[in-house]
Amino acid sequence: MADWTQLPTDILTLIFQYFQVNTLLPAESSLLLKRYALIPTDDLLRCLYPCKNWSILAQRMLYKTIVLKEWSQLEKFTYTLSHTDSRGLFVEHIYINFNIDNIDQALVEQISKIGDLCIHLKTLFGTSLVSTSPNYYSYSNSLFPSYRLLPSPLKVLGAIKSTVWWDLIEHGRKLGHFSKLEVMPFEKQSDLLDYYNVIKYYKACFVLRHTLRELAIYSKLPNETKLSQDYPNVKFVNFYICTGYDMNLVDQVIKDCLSVNSIAIQSINLYRARVSEGIPVIHACPHVKSLYVGGNSAYDDSVYQYVMKAFPSLDFIQIGPVPDRDVTSMLLPTNLTVQFIQYLTNIPVLYPCSMIVQNINEVMIELLDTTKNNIKRLKLVFEMPCSSFFSANSTKLTLSWEAQKSKMRITVLNSPDDGQQVIPCSNSIERRYYGKNIEYLDIEFGYDSPDDASDDRLYEMVLNCPNLKELRINYSMLQLFGSGRVLKPRAEYEHLEIKNSFMMVDFLPHLSSSVSFIKTFTVLNCHLQVYPESTCIDMPYTIFDSITVVLPLETYSSIYLELNVMAHDSLVWYVMQKDGGLQECTEDKFLNPTEQPNYALKIRCKDVKEITNKIGGIDISISF
């Protein structure tokens, strides 16, 4: 047997990873930095002691990423590094996540120790570094006398999160520290920064020009700055635009900087973002693979056209969310919407991408026609507008999908009187199934749909998805499936799940008329009561392998089950106890139970092999 002290490093690394927990990091404004990191637990600390080989690897993992939540932790951390030979060499990322009331010499000394001892440091980030002291001016002037401060005290305190780090890192670079630092914290609330602080940010970034990987651009770069020459290794660029013309500068800035592969465009305090007319040329930037367009502004058609021209080779895109305001200026004509959707279909990963369209029916026909060979998993979410500004003749369409578009999510925001279908069908003699390749359908209609709207839409959707295997319905108001219409031929599903929905008494019987077989049927946290303290699943024409009912209600002492199996012409009653006991009972006991409190579950079906009950703390399965 091999000696456990001589295990290979890669095997030990895999083992030690189980002694770490995924922790949220204070790096919300950064695209480059990870949102989560593996932080050591006490178990990893114990791995320092068994033998030398374990100790070396455990130290590397312990000190790679450091999150400091108190000032005392910062002091103890620098003290430990100062009194050991090599632990500082293992530190790559430090996140300081606590408030500091006074920016004084003690802080500068602690940061200087970090810079002196952690020579491989890539990240020094502190989003919660906030000064509430009115004496910040005197501290800063004495510590950093050569730096010009903002003239407004209110603005200094508002933007102090990032500006202090600019001072500290620039001061450290003058001492020869932070030679491998890749990130300069920047101010996400760019409206807090005036011209002087913007210049101060660029000045601080310039001291890291050879190692910097992420850069924020506020409106535009200083005239003397050339991104490709001054920042040759930058990969992520965050644009904060304050005028419509600023968006025109995005491709101009990054066209020659081939190291940039990800950008974010944030519009700030604009009612409507657009690309100014009269641009001589829009430069294609095929080296950009990831794009996010967001902010608090609406986008008109010029922005969508600009994205298609400037970024032809994206692997990832997200646009939105569209703000809830008057959308008449944001309406996209059908031809441009279709053109943009065709552009999107060439992008492997699409996070929610929103647009306001004029004719959802025509757009959806083109979308499903364009992608019908790829879509197998489709999620549809219907939302009602929360603002009176939303136009009655417009629809908000949000698309998202994963690699190869095997999974697609479509969110449709309709006006209350809009009855358009989302999976349309042709009126031609030969029915054209736009969803013929869809195998998985996940639908959220919402509770505010007009009467019968959810039922009609659901019927049309499953009608146009003849090869559907799994159907999930969530957060919906369900009254009468298909308004009484019946699917021909009747459908068969591997899995049907209804979750967090309200079902009227006629919904399930009419659904049963259209569905002949369901392998697994799950009802989860739904309101389908016929009488108080009871649930009725009435599907007399459907055969099931298993039925599962999950209702996380208050605790009951017993659950009474009435099971009517039509194929065997059988009607039996059971009582299920909280301790796991199960026994048959009589109809009289079912109608007049002695145990209190109790709950009644009624199931009528053509046939079933297994029933699982998870109601009110009672979890029992019955096989037949």
Side-chain angles (χ1 to χ4, degrees):
M1 182 176 178
D3 187 351
W4 57 269
T5 64
Q6 302 300 320
L7 286 173
T9 301
D10 53 347
I11 301 297
L12 272 181
T13 301
L14 290 174
I15 295 173
F16 288 176
Q17 283 178 355
Y18 286 96
F19 305 143
Q20 297 175 303
V21 293
N22 213 20
T23 303
L24 180 66
L25 297 175
E28 69 278 0
S29 65
S30 173
L31 286 178
L32 174 65
L33 299 181
K34 295 180 179 180
R35 296 296 183 268
Y36 293 86
L38 293 174
I39 303 301
T41 64
D42 291 341
D43 290 331
L44 184 59
L45 187 63
R46 297 186 184 99
C47 294
L48 291 170
Y49 307 111
C51 67
K52 184 177 181 180
N53 287 343
W54 282 38
S55 179
I56 294 174
L57 180 59
Q59 284 187 60
R60 290 183 181 275
M61 299 181 71
L62 276 168
Y63 286 93
K64 181 177 181 180
T65 301
I66 303 295
V67 178
L68 303 172
K69 299 180 180 180
E70 299 176 359
W71 174 263
S72 60
Q73 290 183 348
L74 174 60
E75 291 182 316
K76 292 176 181 177
F77 172 66
T78 55
Y79 178 85
T80 300
L81 297 185
S82 301
H83 291 78
T84 57
D85 295 332
S86 61
R87 294 185 183 183
L89 301 177
F90 303 145
V91 180
E92 295 184 9
H93 311 283
I94 298 177
Y95 297 88
I96 297 180
N97 191 23
F98 58 88
N99 294 336
I100 297 177
D101 293 330
N102 294 313
I103 312 300
D104 54 13
Q105 187 63 36
L107 175 63
V108 177
E109 291 177 354
Q110 296 297 329
I111 299 301
S112 295
K113 289 180 180 178
I114 289 176
D116 187 37
L117 298 168
C118 305
I119 62 175
H120 299 300
L121 191 65
K122 297 179 180 179
T123 305
L124 178 60
F125 212 88
T127 57
S128 296
L129 181 59
V130 180
S131 174
T132 57
S133 170
N135 298 321
Y136 173 68
Y137 292 103
S138 59
Y139 290 132
S140 296
N141 282 323
S142 61
L143 298 175
F144 314 111
S146 62
Y147 303 149
R148 180 174 182 176
L149 294 175
L150 287 173
S152 167
L154 294 178
K155 280 199 171 185
V156 169
L157 294 179
I160 200 66
K161 280 185 177 183
S162 299
T163 56
V164 170
W165 287 108
W166 305 341
D167 289 339
L168 291 170
I169 293 174
E170 188 174 356
H171 178 70
R173 282 299 295 133
K174 290 184 177 181
L175 299 177
H177 303 154
F178 308 130
S179 60
K180 296 184 179 181
L181 208 60
E182 297 179 350
V183 178
M184 177 67 72
F186 59 89
E187 184 53 56
K188 189 176 181 180
Q189 293 179 280
S190 62
D191 53 339
L192 295 175
L193 301 178
D194 66 1
Y195 173 79
Y196 297 104
N197 254 347
V198 170
I199 296 301
K200 185 177 181 180
Y201 167 73
Y202 291 138
K203 182 181 177 183
C205 288
F206 194 71
V207 303
L208 301 178
R209 58 189 179 276
H210 297 301
T211 58
L212 197 67
R213 301 275 300 282
E214 182 174 33
L215 182 68
I217 296 179
Y218 300 101
S219 292
K220 60 181 180 179
L221 287 167
N223 293 331
E224 67 276 8
T225 301
K226 294 187 180 298
L227 191 62
S228 59
Q229 296 179 12
D230 294 330
Y231 302 97
N233 296 309
V234 69
K235 295 182 62 178
F236 298 81
V237 180
N238 301 270
F239 289 89
Y240 289 86
I241 63 173
C242 298
T243 69
Y245 182 72
D246 290 338
M247 188 168 286
N248 307 342
L249 300 176
V250 173
D251 62 296
Q252 306 287 335
V253 169
I254 65 172
K255 61 185 173 73
D256 296 323
C257 191
L258 302 183
S259 63
V260 175
N261 57 25
S262 300
I263 66 171
I265 304 173
Q266 302 272 7
S267 56
I268 306 299
N269 295 332
L270 281 175
Y271 180 80
R272 181 163 61 105
R274 63 173 291 110
V275 179
S276 301
E277 299 178 358
I279 306 175
V281 63
I282 296 177
H283 297 273
C285 304
H287 53 287
V288 175
K289 301 300 180 183
S290 177
L291 172 66
Y292 169 78
V293 181
N296 57 7
S297 305
Y299 304 99
D300 70 0
D301 55 359
S302 66
V303 174
Y304 295 93
Q305 292 173 341
Y306 177 81
V307 167
M308 288 189 287
K309 292 179 181 178
F311 309 108
S313 304
L314 293 177
D315 293 331
F316 168 90
I317 186 173
Q318 180 177 1
I319 297 181
V322 174
D324 187 25
R325 59 176 62 155
D326 185 4
V327 299
T328 54
S329 62
M330 298 184 288
L331 278 175
L332 296 183
T334 298
N335 60 340
L336 177 59
T337 307
V338 170
Q339 182 183 358
F340 189 67
I341 289 175
Q342 290 173 338
Y343 163 79
L344 294 177
T345 57
N346 295 317
I347 301 175
V349 179
L350 174 69
Y351 268 36
C353 184
S354 303
M355 62 199 83
I356 305 298
V357 300
Q358 292 178 340
N359 191 318
I360 183 64
N361 217 23
E362 293 180 5
V363 170
M364 290 303 302
I365 288 176
E366 183 62 35
L367 169 63
L368 294 171
D369 209 20
T370 300
T371 61
K372 62 185 179 181
N373 293 324
N374 296 320
I375 300 176
K376 293 185 180 295
R377 302 174 67 87
L378 177 63
K379 181 168 185 176
L380 295 168
V381 180
F382 293 81
E383 297 177 348
M384 299 300 293
C386 56
S387 170
S388 59
F389 288 118
F390 197 84
S391 174
N393 61 354
S394 61
T395 302
K396 175 184 172 183
L397 178 65
T398 302
L399 306 175
S400 62
W401 54 66
E402 299 177 12
Q404 306 305 319
K405 296 170 288 300
S406 60
K407 298 181 181 179
M408 176 178 286
R409 176 188 170 106
I410 300 175
T411 301
V412 180
L413 180 62
N414 285 330
S415 58
D417 56 349
D418 190 352
Q420 299 182 89
Q421 302 299 331
V422 175
I423 298 187
C425 59
S426 172
N427 291 324
S428 61
I429 296 176
E430 289 187 15
R431 175 175 295 277
R432 183 179 182 185
Y433 292 108
Y434 286 94
K436 65 181 181 180
N437 292 311
I438 296 176
E439 298 177 354
Y440 172 98
L441 184 60
D442 190 335
I443 308 168
E444 293 182 18
F445 289 114
Y447 300 132
D448 299 322
S449 298
D451 292 345
D452 300 331
S454 298
D455 301 300
D456 291 335
R457 282 173 171 166
L458 178 60
Y459 176 84
E460 290 292 337
M461 289 174 193
V462 297
L463 179 66
N464 285 280
C465 301
N467 297 313
L468 196 64
K469 295 180 180 179
E470 296 186 33
L471 175 63
R472 284 178 166 83
I473 305 170
N474 198 7
Y475 295 107
S476 300
M477 177 70 73
L478 305 169
Q479 301 186 54
L480 184 65
F481 177 75
S483 298
R485 291 175 289 177
V486 178
L487 292 176
K488 294 182 180 180
R490 295 172 68 195
E492 296 185 2
Y493 299 132
E494 292 183 2
H495 183 68
L496 172 61
E497 178 182 280
I498 304 177
K499 181 179 178 182
N500 302 320
S501 297
F502 288 87
M503 287 186 283
M504 300 297 105
V505 65
D506 292 329
F507 176 77
L508 288 178
H510 282 85
L511 177 64
S512 181
S513 299
S514 295
V515 182
S516 61
F517 174 76
I518 301 174
K519 187 172 184 179
T520 59
F521 178 53
T522 302
V523 176
L524 177 60
N525 197 24
C526 289
H527 183 94
L528 61 166
Q529 293 182 348
V530 180
Y531 303 103
E533 305 300 318
S534 67
T535 291
C536 181
I537 297 178
D538 189 8
M539 300 187 70
Y541 312 112
T542 307
I543 299 174
F544 301 88
D545 274 2
S546 69
I547 298 175
T548 301
V549 181
V550 182
L551 295 174
L553 305 173
E554 62 215 53
T555 301
Y556 289 95
S557 61
S558 61
I559 303 294
Y560 285 87
L561 169 65
E562 178 183 277
L563 177 62
N564 187 352
V565 180
M566 307 298 291
H568 306 296
D569 195 22
S570 67
L571 179 61
V572 293
W573 298 269
Y574 297 91
V575 59
M576 295 174 280
Q577 305 292 345
K578 188 175 181 181
D579 59 5
L582 173 68
Q583 61 182 11
E584 289 192 32
C585 66
T586 64
E587 181 180 10
D588 182 66
K589 188 171 184 180
F590 177 84
L591 296 175
N592 302 285
T594 56
E595 296 87 351
Q596 297 293 335
N598 61 74
Y599 194 87
L601 173 63
K602 299 181 180 181
I603 297 178
R604 183 168 70 140
C605 62
K606 188 172 182 179
D607 203 356
V608 63
K609 295 180 180 178
E610 183 182 47
I611 295 176
T612 300
N613 167 85
K614 298 181 180 180
I615 300 178
I618 299 177
D619 187 349
I620 293 179
S621 293
I622 309 173
S623 298
F624 305 96

